[in-house]
Structures are given as C-alpha cells and as structure tokens.
Amino acid sequence: MGDPGPTGPVLDRDEVDRALARLGAEHEAVETSLLALQDHAGRRLLEGAGLTGVTRDRWAATEASITLLWTYFDAYSGALRTAREIRARRRWSSREDLVELTELLRGECVTVPGAAAGPGARLSERFSLAALVERMNELYASSLDVVVAADAVWSALPARIDLLAAELQRTRRLAHSVGVRPGEHPAGDDLERITRTLTGLREQVISDPLAYWLPGEGSSAPGGGRPDTTVYDREARALEDVRREIDAVLTVRQDAEQRIVRLRDVLSRADRTLAEARTARGEVLAKIAATEVPPVSGPPTALQEQLAAAAEYRRTAQWNRLSPLLESLEQKAEDELLRARESLTAVTAPLAVRAELRGRLDAYKAKVARHGLAEDPELVEKYEKARRMLWSAPCDLRVAEEAVLRYQRAAAELLGSTRPGA
C-alpha cells in the first residue's frame, strides 16, 4: 500500500493488476450478457409487435433502459481501456501512474449522460467503476425480466389457445351435425361464447403478454413466475362440458328408438293398470256398501302427446330437443305407472279386506271341525250369519267384520271349554 490519497491508499502495482483483471472479467461478463439480451427472441418479438396496455408501457421503459445500458457499458469500456493504457506505459509503473490508476479504478471518474429528463434532471452522472457495474446489473435484470416474461407468455399461451380453438372447431362441426346450434340449444350458445372468448384472449395475449404474467412470489430472479392461464383453463373446462353434453346427444341418437319403444310399453302398462282400476272400482261400488272408493283418473294424454313429439323429433333428427325430452318422459312415465298401481291398490282395498275376512271365517270353521264341533248350533248360526254378510252384495264390511269377530270369540270359548282338564 502507498500513501493515502483522495480515494484512499494508493494501490501498488500488484493491486492494480489484480483490479484490472477483475474489471476485465466483469467487462467480458457484462458484454456477453448484453449481446445475449440483444439477440434474445423475446426482445426481437417485442420490438416488432404492436403492443398495448401494460406491455406497451413496460417495454417503452425497458427500451430506454437497454439504450442506457449500452451507454453505461461504452463509458465503462472507455474507462477500462484508459486504465489499461496507463498501466501499459511502463513495466514498473511510476508513483504518478499509480496515483492516476488508483483514482481511475476507485474514484467516481466515469461520467455518463443523465438518464432522467424534465425539470431538475442532471445532465450527467458520475460513477465509480464498481458502482457502474452494479447499476448495469440492476438495469440488465429488470430488462431481462420483461423480455423473459413476455417470451414465456408468447411461448405458452398462443399455441395452447390454437390447439383449443382447433378442438373447438371440431366440436362445433359435431354439434351442428346433431342439431346443437346457437339460439336453439344452450350448448350451441356456449360454443359461440367460447369462440368469442378465445379469439379475444389470443389477440390480448399477442398484444399485451405481460397482462397474463404472474410473477413468482419471493423470487427476485429475472423471469421468475408463470403465465396466467386462468381464462384459458376456464374455457377449456367449458368446452369439455359442452363435449360431454354433445356426447349425450349422440348417445340419444344411437338408442332413441329403443328408449321410445320402452316408453310406449311403460305408458301402455300404466293405461292398462288404470283401466283395471276403473273396472275394479265399479265392482267395489256394486259389491261393497258404506265404503269410500277413491276416483280413478283417465289416461295421461299430456304424456302421450309428449311421446308423439319425441317420435317426431327422432324422425326429423332433432337430437338436441329429443335428449332432454326423453329424460323427462322416462321419469314421468315411471311415475305414472307407479301412480296407476297405487290407484289400483287403493280401489281394490275393500275387496282385499273382504277376502281377508272370508279367509279368516273359513279358517276358524276348519279349526272347529278338526275338534268335532262343526255341528254346534250356536256356532252354525253365527257362521251362517257372517257368511251371508260376506257373500252377499253389497257387503257392509264393518258389520261383516263384527259378525266374524263374534264367530271367532264363540269358537274360542267353545274350544277352550272342551280342552282336557277344562
């Protein structure tokens, strides 16, 4: 070390040589980085694109930063070249040379034009070589961040959008073939909306890629982050939903005839069941007295009309209309068959009660006969009275049930009195 100067101790020859070697390596690294940035595909695309929005504003600032970078680099190169020339004057540098080199290598000896504009802006700035390298690194990192982010979005999203758009066109053709059209079917409207959204998304991504960039959290590295695919992902899911719906329509086209035949069969069984219920109701009213018999509705004409419409949709290949109609009809037809069966059960309930009373009366008579009591005058009288009520028309079920119960009690009492030990 030599005597102290304005920039600290004067460097000796070895220190100067080491400083020049370090600065030379930094100069080479900065030059390599700047040339790579200059040749970056993303930068060339940004220069030639019609930019809008966020990207237009950030690229304008980045272009100014890149221009300033080259200005700084030229100043840095000039200062380094001067220092090398001074050191090359003599094999053993004089003290005056070392003082000059110390000032050049450590002091704020590099003057560059001011980067700011407007009132109060400085016309020039002074840097040390170390500070100038630090400033160039900052400008390079911010410039590279913009270039890499835009290039990443352009590399990822337009190609994916184009693939999805091609799939969308295939889906639209398939949808048209099965009658799924805008204004006629919700899936057709969805396809139109997806088409408009993808078209607009591609235009926006091309002109304003940085609007679709999500910086990485906690990352300061240039280009840290990922493309924002939120809109693309949403439309891809919507297209998948439409494809599933169209697949359902295609399935309808394949098995429509069988489903219509099954529907006719279910509705026919419902009609037959209701007809049976109406006949049974007449029989009940004629044979059973003092009983509320529920009315029986007529055949479901609305379902028959819808079934006829379904057959017409199938004949005219209106699969998009046939699909939801068949699903609705299948449920309604099953409900109608169930209702018809419940109606028949409700109407014939009095006949079932009468049959149960008849069976109970005969069962007790057989039990009495097995014990040799069939000729008992009281039992015969009670049996005949109950029998006349149950086999006469109209039958009063309440009175007949009381008669059966009286016969049961009398039989039970008689059987109990004839048991051994009674």
Side-chain angles (χ1 to χ4, degrees), residues 389 396-404 406:
M389 290 181 181
D396 189 326
L397 289 177
R398 184 181 59 81
V399 176
E401 184 177 15
E402 292 175 357
V404 171
R406 285 195 295 271

Side-chain angles (χ1 to χ4, degrees), residues 100 131 172 191 193 209 213 216 238 240 251 275 308 330 336 356 403 407 410:
E100 188 176 1
R172 289 182 68 177
L191 287 174
R193 182 194 58 74
W213 178 253
E240 181 61 28
T251 301
E330 285 167 342
E336 180 61 26
E356 190 273 333
Y407 178 74

Side-chain angles (χ1 to χ4, degrees), residues 167-177 191-192 195:
E167 179 61 28
L168 173 62
Q169 291 305 315
R170 288 192 293 271
T171 304
R172 289 182 68 177
R173 288 193 294 270
L174 183 60
H176 191 274
S177 71
L191 287 174
E192 286 299 299
T195 300

Side-chain angles (χ1 to χ4, degrees), residues 99-376:
V99 169
E100 188 176 1
L101 284 168
T102 300
E103 175 64 22
L104 188 57
L105 295 175
R106 286 185 172 176
E108 293 182 350
C109 59
V110 184
T111 302
V112 295
R122 290 181 295 175
L123 296 179
S124 63
E125 295 179 275
R126 294 181 64 82
F127 293 92
S128 67
L129 287 175
L132 191 57
V133 169
E134 183 178 353
R135 179 63 178 141
M136 284 191 293
N137 285 335
E138 292 172 356
L139 287 174
Y140 173 77
S142 63
S143 300
L144 183 63
D145 185 66
V146 169
V147 170
V148 170
D151 186 52
V153 173
W154 278 334
S155 298
L157 270 175
R160 295 174 69 181
I161 293 171
D162 289 343
L163 288 174
L164 189 61
E167 179 61 28
L168 173 62
Q169 291 305 315
R170 288 192 293 271
T171 304
R172 289 182 68 177
R173 288 193 294 270
L174 183 60
H176 191 274
S177 71
V178 295
V180 175
R181 299 181 178 87
E184 299 179 9
H185 193 281
D189 297 333
D190 289 341
L191 287 174
E192 286 299 299
R193 182 194 58 74
I194 295 170
T195 300
R196 290 193 301 270
T197 301
L198 286 182
T199 301
L201 178 63
R202 194 181 195 285
E203 292 174 355
Q204 292 165 9
V205 166
I206 294 299
S207 67
D208 193 8
L210 295 183
Y212 294 89
W213 178 253
L214 297 175
E217 295 183 6
S219 173
S220 59
R226 62 179 178 82
D228 182 358
T229 61
T230 303
V231 177
Y232 169 87
D233 293 339
R234 183 190 68 209
E235 299 309 312
R237 289 192 299 270
L239 181 57
E240 181 61 28
D241 291 341
V242 172
R243 275 201 298 262
R244 282 197 294 268
E245 189 163 351
I246 292 173
D247 287 342
V249 173
L250 287 169
T251 301
V252 169
R253 183 170 67 176
Q254 293 169 359
D255 60 11
E257 183 175 3
Q258 293 180 355
R259 291 173 71 181
I260 289 174
V261 168
R262 285 197 298 269
L263 275 169
R264 288 198 182 106
D265 177 62
V266 171
L267 290 178
S268 177
R269 281 187 283 155
D271 287 348
R272 291 195 302 271
T273 304
L274 285 175
E276 185 179 350
R278 285 191 293 273
T279 300
R281 186 172 188 272
E283 181 182 352
V284 169
L285 291 174
K287 295 181 177 180
I288 306 297
T291 300
E292 290 293 331
V293 184
V296 180
S297 64
T301 56
L303 293 186
Q304 293 293 347
E305 291 172 357
Q306 292 177 26
L307 183 59
E312 179 63 16
Y313 287 156
R314 178 185 174 279
R315 188 185 67 80
T316 55
Q318 298 184 60
W319 311 113
N320 59 305
R321 294 183 176 179
L322 179 59
S323 177
L325 180 57
L326 281 179
E327 290 181 8
S328 172
L329 267 176
E330 285 167 342
Q331 184 59 54
K332 290 178 180 178
E334 291 296 334
D335 291 344
E336 180 61 26
L337 180 57
L338 178 62
R339 186 182 68 83
R341 288 170 174 169
E342 290 174 346
S343 180
L344 177 60
T345 300
V347 164
T348 57
L351 294 177
V353 171
R354 187 184 67 173
E356 190 273 333
L357 290 173
R358 286 177 172 179
R360 198 192 314 170
L361 181 65
D362 288 342
Y364 265 86
K365 181 184 179 183
K367 185 175 182 180
V368 168
R370 284 197 303 273
H371 289 79
L373 301 173
E375 302 301 325
D376 182 84

